[in-house]
Amino acid sequence: MRQVIVVDYEFCSGCHSCEIACQQEHGLSPDKFGIKLTQIGPDQLSETRWQYEFLPIPTDRCDRCAERQAAGKLPTCVQHCQAGCLHIGAQEEFTELMKKQKVVMFS
C-alpha cells in the first residue's frame, strides 16, 4: 500500500516544528529541507477578510522517514507537528477526508 503524507492546512499554525524535526532527524544543514513550510499571505481579500495560511510541503529529500517507519515509528514531521495537522497512511484512507476537509496529499 502506498503511504502518503496528508496536511490539514486549515490547522497549520506555521510553527516550523516539522522543518526543524526533519532537519535534526536527517542531519540536514539549516538551508536544506525535507519538508518546507510555505506561507500564503497576508493578503487582503476584501475589506473584512484576509488570507494568511501556512502549508508544509515535502521536498524531494523526503523519504517519509523510511527507516523510522520500518521501526514502527511515525515520520518525524508527523510526530512533532504541534498543530496535529500532518498525518500519514494509505492513500485510500484519505480519499473521503479530502472530499470533506481542506487537506492536501503528498506522495
Side-chain angles (χ1 to χ4, degrees):
M1 238 182 251
R2 184 175 181 166
Q3 295 284 302
V4 295
I5 292 178
V6 173
V7 180
D8 188 344
Y9 70 88
E10 192 168 32
F11 295 104
C12 180
S13 64
C15 71
H16 295 269
S17 292
C18 57
E19 285 181 342
I20 295 166
C22 180
Q23 287 172 324
Q24 290 180 348
E25 178 75 24
H26 298 289
L28 299 174
S29 63
D31 62 332
K32 304 284 189 242
F33 301 92
I35 189 165
K36 178 73 174 134
L37 189 69
T38 301
Q39 179 178 317
I40 302 168
D43 292 323
Q44 190 166 7
L45 303 175
S46 69
E47 195 169 307
T48 58
R49 201 169 140 219
W50 288 78
Q51 179 180 21
Y52 191 57
E53 297 175 282
F54 299 96
L55 181 61
I57 301 174
T59 70
D60 289 342
R61 288 183 187 87
C62 179
D63 66 354
R64 290 174 294 289
C65 289
E67 285 184 29
R68 286 179 59 88
Q69 287 196 67
K73 298 178 182 179
L74 291 172
T76 194
C77 63
V78 175
Q79 180 179 336
H80 293 283
C81 177
Q82 297 296 306
C85 66
L86 293 175
H87 310 279
I88 188 153
Q91 184 172 347
E92 296 77 25
E93 291 176 38
F94 297 111
T95 304
E96 286 303 311
L97 180 66
M98 290 180 65
K99 293 176 185 176
K100 297 175 185 174
Q101 295 179 331
K102 294 181 177 179
V103 297
V104 177
M105 184 182 327
F106 297 98
S107 57

